[in-house]
Amino acid sequence: MEKRKNPDQVTRLLSGNEAMALGAYHAGVKVATAYPGTPSTEILENIARFQNVYAEWSTNEKVALEVAMGASYTGARALTGMKHVGLNVAADPLMSASITGVKGGFVIVTADDPGMHSSQNEQDSRHYARLAKIPCLEPYDSQSAYNFMIKAFEISEMFDTPVLFRSTTRISHSKSVVRIYSDALNGSTQPGFIRQPEKYVMLPVFARARHPVIEKRIDKIKEYALDCSFNEVIPGNTKTGVISSSIAFQYAREVFLDASFLRLGMTYPLSENLIRKFASGVEKLIVIEELDPFLEEMIRSMGVEVTGKAFIPVTGELAPGVVARLARDHGLEVRYEKEQGELHEVELPARPPSMCPGCPHRGIFFVLARLSKRRKMLTANEKNTTNEPGVIITGDIGCYTLGAYPPLSAMDTCACMGAGIGQALGMEKAGLEDSLIAVIGDSTFMHSGMTSLADAIYNQSKITIIILDNMTTGMTGHQGHPGTGVSASGRQATQVKIEDVVRSMGVNRVEVLDAFDMENLRRAIKSAIDCEELSVLIVRGDCAPVRPRSHASRVVLAESCTRCHNCLKLACSAIHDDDGRVIINSDFCAGDNCGVCEQVCLSGAINIKGRTV
Amino acid sequence: MGTLNIIMTGIGGQGIILASDVIAEAAMVQGLDVKKTDSIGMAQRGGSVISHLRLGNIVNSPLIAEGDADILLGMEKLEAARAVIFLKEGGVALVNNYAVSPSYSKDGIKKYPDDNAVSKIIGFRTEKIHFVEGLKAARSLGNMRAMNIYLLGALSNYLPLTSDAWLISLKSRLPEKHLNVNLKAFKQGQKEANCAGIG
Ligand SMILES: Cc1ncc(C[n+]2csc(CCOP(=O)(O)OP(=O)(O)O)c2C)c(N)n1
């Protein structure tokens, strides 16, 4: 590949994700794949805007990693991006990519979510680097995200290894100033696959020979870590030495103003010599890291005395004030005099996340919530009286998970993407008498619902599966998936039709329903739970924010309103209760497109503004 | 200069992130260091949004510690009250005279605070509370979406950024077809706030 000329001093304000995308582009990435997931989504969205890079939304993270792995085998530089839980889905090919190694530089970005801003768990994905015996890089701002990304491809090729590039919500979603190189590396190498079964065909006989190779590889990277440009010592006083990485470094830097710092950009593997050298120059060694004591435990196992998680929590997101307070409480010298300021406790109404006005998921959840078998079961549950069968709704992940919140309360489980169908099947096979309904979004169905549907069909299940098809990946901001027929770069693509998939797999009872037709939804669900056959209902309606809004808002006719408040049970943020009087906010109402509130009103008091009754 | 810490808050759809991007870009144009981070809830629309922004010679953390914000710009009143925890003693609170009631259910929902309650809550931290008429201005401009930039104009009276830097930033961050109305909103916000003794 041709060498970069004079790096130009152009500065830009970039988020961590934008910086990673630009870094990858400037490193000559040729194939980029991802499945969306907060906070990682914008990496691929940004790469998809560059010329001469192939970018795709993959069906799920496992596929995404495999596609990028294949590209790397041809000598092309390849990147795959995902959120932390996505790496769990892709863990199998990750381990294999480690053992085969790469040809073109191969970077796997995982974005963790400390504090669980929008995730179902709070894992520290750095452990995967250790598990897979591959290097882990952690940027600490957008500039380092850009620089490290370029370097990541280089070390991947240098050591014949995939590189785990670990971000977090605050790295991905913070913006800061980045000096960029104006010229992209021209990634025009001709792809070529050289047959090398002993490297690429992991039959036991070949894999056995590869294992010592990857052990030697990690040892070599350890040596490299001693004075590589990812790690930096920032000299300060000799009293306190702080080892830190990622965003935690920025907090520590504010809290321990005069301390010496070892900022680690490569957090796996660690160079023992580097750590010892730094530790020997300071009286007290502390590690400040978010989530698990990943660095701390490795350092302690070197026999170096260190503290960190003795006062920094392993749960939740850190913040500068949090680090300051806990360090001070632990008796450490903290030069951070900011007023924490007590506030008088005032109870303010919460603003819980809710489905958008006009959301196609609202109607179906209202119907589910009000099925008489479910209502009886819920009230009975409170009093613990009856054993009559009710309705259990297993759920999945997406905007529709908001249906679990009151007042809808129409979801009973939510574990990980694609789990709902399997869970319903398990409950059925365990002998539960209740009706079982699994709800799953269209993107989630493509991601990991198809395999469990095959399981249900094969194993003679009689559950009801509702696919909530808003024709996009709503939760993460409207990305394409195979069912949408739109590619990552916005071009038309071959659509995988959900109803065709379901029918061809062997489901006979398949219905496609309009998400805004309440009467029909009610009928279809009742008949599906009453019949002794596996049913799939596809509830289809446009995702509200991507649909042009009609300006005809609905209004409540005060004289007809009996204040039954049925409409409030829809949890629509356009409808609110003003001391018993119901008001529809015309700035928010989705207007003509929805009309669910009009259909649930018992007294005909909701109408379109100006429409004659 | 030391760091100037700004908290901006409101609800999804109000353009808070865009407004804070404009400030950050203007600071960068002017050669300052700047960091910002946005926390958005799960919902695309309607949930609380908070943006932390810090500018100065060197900025480390993008997150502002509680009690350390110099300025709070609340684009919605309830959210302004909620975010006051970040404001330092004696900081400046600019509060848009705009209220959006959280949705739903008659049961268990706490009352939306009236203006007195909002002033009282913010008053625990500062006496410098200014209500700004963003809603009225946006309506008169005929574009609800320009509300954020109107408020940015009001806020600009407190920031050490030149009008050149603002202009370059507004031009680079706003879509061309909405640029004019937004420039107008910005100037109007700046002027009206100034006349009201804000800044
Ligand atoms: C393994 C994994 N990857 C990605 C995500 C992030 N994520 C949460 S929900 C979702 C997709 C939701 O799309 P869809 O099923 O169509 O439902 P919608 O939000 O549109 O209602 C994604 C990508 C996740 N939670 N887990």
Side-chain angles (χ1 to χ4, degrees):
Chain A
M1 283 190 189
E2 117 201 5
K3 265 266 171 286
R4 186 175 295 107
K5 282 158 248 136
N6 47 336
D8 192 312
Q9 297 289 291
V10 181
T11 56
R12 279 174 66 189
L13 180 75
L14 297 178
S15 70
N17 283 347
E18 289 167 335
M20 286 176 229
L22 194 64
Y25 177 58
H26 285 180
V29 72
K30 199 163 174 201
V31 171
T33 65
Y35 181 75
T38 316
S40 68
T41 311
E42 300 83 6
I43 301 168
L44 193 95
E45 283 180 334
N46 278 282
I47 292 181
R49 296 191 186 115
F50 298 128
Q51 300 294 312
N52 306 324
V53 182
Y54 170 79
E56 72 162 45
W57 290 124
S58 308
T59 312
N60 66 27
E61 293 87 351
K62 171 171 148 64
V63 178
L65 199 145
E66 289 156 352
V67 172
M69 175 165 39
S72 160
Y73 285 179
T74 73
R77 288 192 163 179
L79 174 145
T80 184
M82 57 201 69
K83 71 182 290 168
H84 59 309
V85 285
L87 196 53
N88 304 336
V89 176
D92 197 11
L94 168 73
M95 298 307 287
S96 299
S98 167
I99 198 154
T100 68
V102 307
K103 189 171 168 214
F106 183 14
V107 177
I108 299 157
V109 184
T110 177
D112 285 7
D113 188 16
M116 294 180 271
H117 295 272
S118 46
S119 302
Q120 69 268 35
N121 85 354
E122 194 175 38
Q123 72 190 36
D124 191 329
S125 299
R126 296 178 296 179
H127 293 295
Y128 274 111
R130 199 168 172 179
L131 181 66
K133 303 180 181 186
I134 60 174
C136 178
L137 302 181
E138 289 190 75
Y140 50 91
D141 61 7
S142 298
Q143 180 74 64
S144 57
Y146 174 78
N147 295 351
F148 286 11
M149 184 57 82
I150 295 173
K151 277 299 264 183
F153 285 99
E154 291 170 17
I155 64 166
S156 170
E157 286 164 7
M158 192 154 85
F159 294 104
D160 187 6
T161 178
V163 171
L164 186 66
F165 199 95
R166 190 251 192 176
S167 180
T168 66
T169 300
R170 283 297 160 205
I171 295 296
S172 284
H173 285 177
S174 294
K175 290 188 175 152
S176 57
V177 182
V178 181
R179 261 173 247 292
I180 57 168
Y181 304 101
S182 60
D183 51 341
L185 196 61
N186 192 352
S188 59
T189 37
Q190 206 43 42
F193 179 70
I194 301 161
R195 292 186 54 230
Q196 246 179 304
E198 65 288 356
K199 175 168 163 67
Y200 295 125
V201 183
M202 284 305 102
L203 281 164
V205 57
F206 296 134
R208 255 176 242 129
R210 287 291 300 172
H211 190 179
V213 175
I214 72 168
E215 296 296 338
K216 265 190 220 117
R217 177 180 76 196
I218 203 74
D219 284 344
K220 270 197 249 155
I221 303 173
K222 241 179 235 176
E223 284 168 29
Y224 168 83
L226 175 62
D227 52 14
C228 68
S229 61
F230 296 108
N231 305 327
E232 192 180 341
V233 173
I234 305 164
N237 68 29
T238 55
K239 218 167 142 202
T240 315
V242 181
I243 298 182
S244 192
S245 68
S246 189
I247 197 72
F249 163 76
Q250 305 289 2
Y251 307 151
R253 192 88 178 118
E254 300 220 351
V255 171
F256 305 100
L257 270 186
D258 316 311
S260 297
F261 278 84
L262 172 58
R263 185 186 58 217
L264 293 174
M266 189 190 277
T267 48
Y268 192 80
L270 296 185
S271 157
E272 195 165 326
N273 285 340
L274 176 69
I275 303 291
R276 283 192 186 288
K277 202 166 129 212
F278 180 74
S280 66
V282 295
E283 280 166 46
K284 190 173 179 64
L285 187 66
I286 341 176
V287 174
I288 304 292
E289 59 190 321
E290 230 165 19
L291 300 180
D292 291 345
F294 182 74
L295 300 172
E296 186 178 337
E297 282 176 357
M298 282 192 291
I299 293 169
R300 188 167 295 122
S301 75
M302 296 170 187
V304 174
E305 202 181 310
V306 60
T307 180
K309 292 296 170 187
F311 61 98
I312 297 289
V314 291
T315 56
E317 188 183 22
L318 298 182
V322 174
V323 175
R325 179 168 45 82
L326 297 174
R328 194 183 289 123
D329 292 352
H330 193 68
L332 291 171
E333 197 181 303
V334 166
R335 254 196 54 198
Y336 188 83
E337 296 306 337
K338 276 153 197 172
E339 181 60 50
Q340 284 301 297
E342 287 288 302
L343 264 192
H344 293 257
E345 276 291 314
V346 184
E347 287 231 33
L348 292 170
R351 203 184 289 279
S354 60
M355 293 171 196
C356 303
C359 176
H361 301 328
R362 182 172 282 109
I364 180 84
F365 277 101
F366 186 85
V367 171
L368 290 172
R370 304 189 69 77
L371 288 171
S372 58
K373 267 164 93 180
R374 182 163 173 91
R375 287 168 75 186
K376 250 189 259 161
M377 170 188 94
L378 291 184
T379 33
N381 258 358
E382 279 157 22
K383 296 182 201 126
N384 222 353
T385 48
T386 175
N387 290 326
E388 260 183 67
V391 178
I392 309 281
I393 303 161
T394 60
D396 229 295
I397 304 195
C399 290
Y400 51 94
T401 314
L402 294 167
Y405 281 120
L408 293 168
S409 307
M411 194 183 286
D412 302 317
T413 68
C414 163
C416 59
M417 286 188 77
I421 296 175
Q423 288 174 333
L425 184 62
M427 291 182 182
E428 175 189 48
K429 299 305 181 192
L432 213 61
E433 302 261 304
D434 309 74
S435 304
L436 287 157
I437 301 178
V439 293
I440 183 166
D442 51 334
S443 188
T444 308
F445 179 71
M446 288 290 166
H447 177 281
S448 47
M450 292 189 290
T451 41
S452 35
L453 173 61
D455 198 287
I457 297 165
Y458 168 52
N459 291 303
Q460 311 297 306
S461 175
K462 299 184 173 64
I463 61 172
T464 299
I465 296 169
I466 301 180
I467 301 175
L468 303 160
D469 186 9
N470 58 359
M471 297 172 278
T472 188
T473 316
M475 179 101 232
T476 44
H478 310 114
Q479 294 74 27
H481 61 70
T484 63
V486 182
S487 80
S489 49
R491 276 189 275 280
Q492 204 187 337
T494 305
Q495 182 186 14
V496 180
K497 286 216 175 86
I498 294 178
E499 51 271 44
D500 293 355
V501 170
V502 173
R503 286 203 181 97
S504 65
M505 283 172 104
V507 183
N508 295 318
R509 269 191 112 262
V510 182
E511 262 197 87
V512 179
L513 303 160
D514 174 352
F516 299 101
D517 182 349
M518 298 294 279
E519 195 54 51
N520 200 32
L521 290 178
R522 221 169 281 135
R523 175 206 54 78
I525 289 175
K526 281 197 181 143
S527 83
I529 57 178
D530 288 342
C531 88
E532 288 288 304
E533 200 183 338
L534 180 72
S535 308
V536 174
L537 307 179
I538 300 167
V539 179
R540 187 165 287 155
D542 278 321
C543 183
V546 294
R547 179 180 37 184
R549 243 185 75 201
S550 97
H551 286 283
S553 163
R554 288 207 156 53
V555 287
V556 179
L557 308 170
E559 63 280 10
S560 318
C561 176
T562 57
R563 303 192 171 187
C564 70
H565 290 173
N566 222 23
C567 57
L568 288 174
K569 295 179 188 130
L570 285 168
C572 175
S573 57
I575 310 176
H576 70 271
D577 168 20
D578 190 15
D579 273 334
R581 222 172 64 113
V582 177
I583 291 173
I584 297 179
N585 185 333
S586 60
D587 288 337
F588 298 140
C589 176
D592 258 346
N593 292 328
C594 174
V596 169
C597 59
E598 184 175 333
Q599 294 175 62
V600 307
C601 178
L602 299 176
S603 51
I606 297 183
N607 209 318
I608 285 206
K609 222 180 218 164
R611 185 169 71 188
T612 41
V613 195
Chain B
M1 65 179 281
T3 37
L4 187 69
N5 299 336
I6 305 162
I7 291 279
M8 298 168 83
T9 182
I11 58 174
Q14 281 194 292
I16 290 153
I17 297 171
L18 176 67
S20 88
D21 280 353
V22 171
I23 307 179
E25 181 98 26
M28 186 191 77
V29 166
Q30 213 170 294
L32 291 168
D33 193 14
V34 58
K35 282 192 181 153
K36 58 155 286 187
T37 180
D38 310 304
S39 311
I40 19 179
M42 288 228 300
Q44 291 265 314
R45 283 192 183 171
S48 312
V49 176
I50 184 162
S51 181
H52 295 232
L53 187 146
R54 310 183 66 209
L55 47 97
N57 290 333
I58 295 176
V59 179
N60 290 306
S61 164
L63 269 183
I64 297 170
E66 295 179 352
D68 197 29
D70 301 281
I71 305 171
L72 165 67
L73 171 61
M75 295 205 185
E76 197 278 341
K77 288 189 273 192
L78 169 59
E79 296 311 316
R82 203 192 306 283
V84 75
I85 181 93
F86 288 102
L87 195 63
K88 70 176 176 201
E89 298 285 341
V92 173
L94 288 181
V95 182
N96 187 18
N97 198 1
Y98 179 60
V100 177
S101 203
S103 58
Y104 91 80
S105 140
K106 51 186 175 165
D107 22 55
I109 199 140
K110 286 168 212 95
K111 248 190 101 57
Y112 191 97
D114 61 19
D115 285 3
N116 281 338
V118 171
S119 297
K120 200 173 136 205
I121 294 164
I122 298 175
F124 290 137
R125 276 285 158 81
T126 184
E127 287 169 5
K128 297 179 200 148
I129 310 168
H130 304 285
F131 283 91
V132 186
E133 297 299 331
L135 182 64
K136 262 192 212 152
R139 292 231 160 103
S140 79
L141 285 158
N143 191 338
M144 283 296 281
R145 296 231 158 162
M147 185 154 73
N148 59 342
I149 303 298
Y150 174 88
L151 296 166
L152 201 58
L155 176 68
S156 71
N157 291 328
Y158 291 93
L159 306 183
L161 301 171
T162 64
S163 46
D164 276 357
W166 280 116
L167 194 64
I168 293 171
S169 170
L170 286 163
K171 277 190 181 154
S172 91
R173 288 280 160 180
L174 289 163
E176 181 135 13
K177 64 174 181 186
H178 300 306
L179 184 64
N180 277 338
V181 63
N182 278 301
L183 287 177
K184 210 170 139 196
F186 184 84
K187 289 204 182 103
Q188 193 178 327
Q190 193 168 42
K191 196 170 126 222
E192 287 179 5
N194 214 338
C195 293
I198 301 174

